[in-house]
Amino acid sequence: MSETDVDLEARLAEQDSFEPPESFVEQANVSDPEIYDEFENNWPECWEAAADLLEWTDDYDQVLDDSNPPFYQWFTDGELNASANCLDRHLEERADEAAIEWVGEPVDEDNRTYTYGELHREVNEFAAALRDLGVEEDDVVTLYMPMIPELPVAMLACARIGAPHSVVFAGFSADALATRMNAADSEYLVTCDGYYRRGDPLDHFDKATTGLDGVEHAVDTVVVERLPSEDAFPNTWPEQTRGYDELVENHAGETVEPVDRDAEDMLFLMYTSGTTGQPKGVKHTTGGYLSWAAWTSQAVLDIKPDDTYFCSADIGWITGHSYIVYGPLALGTTTMMYEGTPDYPDRNRLWEIIEEYEANQLYTAPTAIRAFMKWGEEYPDSHDLSSLRLLGTVGEPINPRAWKWYYKHIGDESCPVVDTWWQTETGGMMLTTLPGVGEMKPGSAGPPLPGLSADVVDMSGSPVGAGEAGYLVVNKPWPGMLRTLYNNDDRFINEYWREYSNVDSDDSADWVYFPEDGAKLDEDGYITVLGRVDDVLNVSGHRLGTMEIESAIVGVEGVAEAAVVGGDHDIKGEAVYTYVITEDGYEETEELREAIIEGVEDAIGPIARPEAVIFTPELPKTRSGKIMRRLLENIANAEDLGDTSTLRNPEVVEDIQRKVQSD
Ligand code: WTA
């Protein structure tokens, strides 16, 4: 431990709350604590504040229609277009200001600035091209691209013509792409030839075409050529494949009138992991989602048009959708995106970017902060980060030590830190302090945002009170909420509402949203989120379903049964631990272990790569035959095993424990 670390520990360790810095409050978008009462007393009309941040082509009639819960409708009969809101309306004042600053992998020095004028132009051209390919309003277009500018261009082009997009994270496997395209009946794919990762070109198109082999219907494909010819792969394009550049050139200078969309029309679909093996297609709408992304960007991230705002997430996840693309662009600011990783070419990458572009906000994940902390403060300390005004985190619980390190070494104790709890399903932030208003408590996300109502309850739905752990619930609808799971209203009700609602009631007050997280409330109403209570792991802030991983493993030849649990991990938060029973006649070999790891990577992607594969003759099961995951988790984390008396086969536990310890 270095000396500064010791000082920091001594000075900050005892401190468990922090006031927002005065210099920040003075200029904050929101600084009046009255906002909480005002919104509560004027609910749901308070959400006009969010709608007012957008430009509507037709005014809405009602803020909220809650007559058919949980199928809530917001800003009913209003019309707007998301691409017009993110582009056209800023042109008068900001045509020459940067909309996107893109920092490519430092391989070919390919950084690009898109002004609002340029972005508007390219979005129009690509929208014209998509139309020409046959894309019509409400057709789902799948976007399978890494962090290249053509991804937000394609998103906005889709929005312009009223075609919902479904972005599939580029790190996902071919199988994952196919599953999502089939589930969404998506007949269009925009992808790229390849991209750089740690200096090396990756063949992305090969993965995309393998995925397409698994799609049950015909697909028109567009390929962005990201790699310069010397690094390009010798792929031959199948029929119905077109080059992005050629398409855009063919439509040079064309404009496409933004389509008027109903507030409740789908803006996009995003697949996320749930309890069962089948990913959930979360449906977000044009009016509610966009207003939520814009309002939270303004109130929580304190974004102003003149800012240069940096969120280090990937657009393939919801954080990138809401807080790299839609929120910041709706507010007319400069949003940054970077390709690559924070430690290539070295551990200075992010700090160099912040220094060079004079970024005003940094929004990142606890897993990244823990890695920065481990690498040491000498990297950030050797850069001028004084442009930063606000720091944010999202994706998983942040431990107080990491929070304080972030506050001190990145924020120089002069930036508020917003710890924002939310989910793919919520569209945007839900629990967090308002940076210009609320006291910050490291480790605790904070109260619900104004106009929201959340609580911590026990299994029967009664509030647990301060200090007790229970389940997080959201008691009132909000504009950014998911509207349903695509083509599956039943699953929507079962997953999120059935637990704590009276599902036979038409009264909105009887409906309670359950995010499937555990939480704790303190005496000030601050909520500490403890993590998922369903079979979902949070690996480096990414949601992975244990069932998805298990079904990939049992698909490997030689595997009879598998159980997947989360094990503690210093950097990733959680890591994938798998317990595997081999089929009769198969040995517990290194080859099989490799095949299992490969099987998981093929089915999902490298993010789901198992940290440990533990062979075992049996899995601990209850008398009714359910796998005791809690026990497997305790074993993975070398914790006390607690009560094993309900097991049918208690002897197997010691056996597994011995194996894990010897691995
Ligand atoms: C977890 C990411 C604690 C939580 C935006 C949630 C958090 C899941 C926090 C959603 C936070 C997210 N503190 N836990 N600040 N933010 N989570 O859908 O378990 O990828 O349910 O959305 O991440 O993950 P998702």
Side-chain angles (χ1 to χ4, degrees), residues 394-397 419-424 517 529 532 538 543:
V394 58
E396 49 180 320
D419 172 1
T420 62
W421 175 89
W422 57 290
Q423 309 180 293
T424 305
D517 271 323
V529 178
R532 307 284 308 186
N538 191 330
R543 263 165 80 168

Side-chain angles (χ1 to χ4, degrees), residues 272 317-319 363 366 393-398 419-426 431 443 445 515-517 528-532 538 541-543:
T272 187
W317 307 102
I318 192 71
T319 304
Y363 191 33
T393 92
V394 58
E396 49 180 320
I398 180 164
D419 172 1
T420 62
W421 175 89
W422 57 290
Q423 309 180 293
T424 305
E425 291 87 343
T426 68
L431 305 178
E516 301 182 271
D517 271 323
T528 297
V529 178
L530 302 169
R532 307 284 308 186
N538 191 330
H542 300 144
R543 263 165 80 168

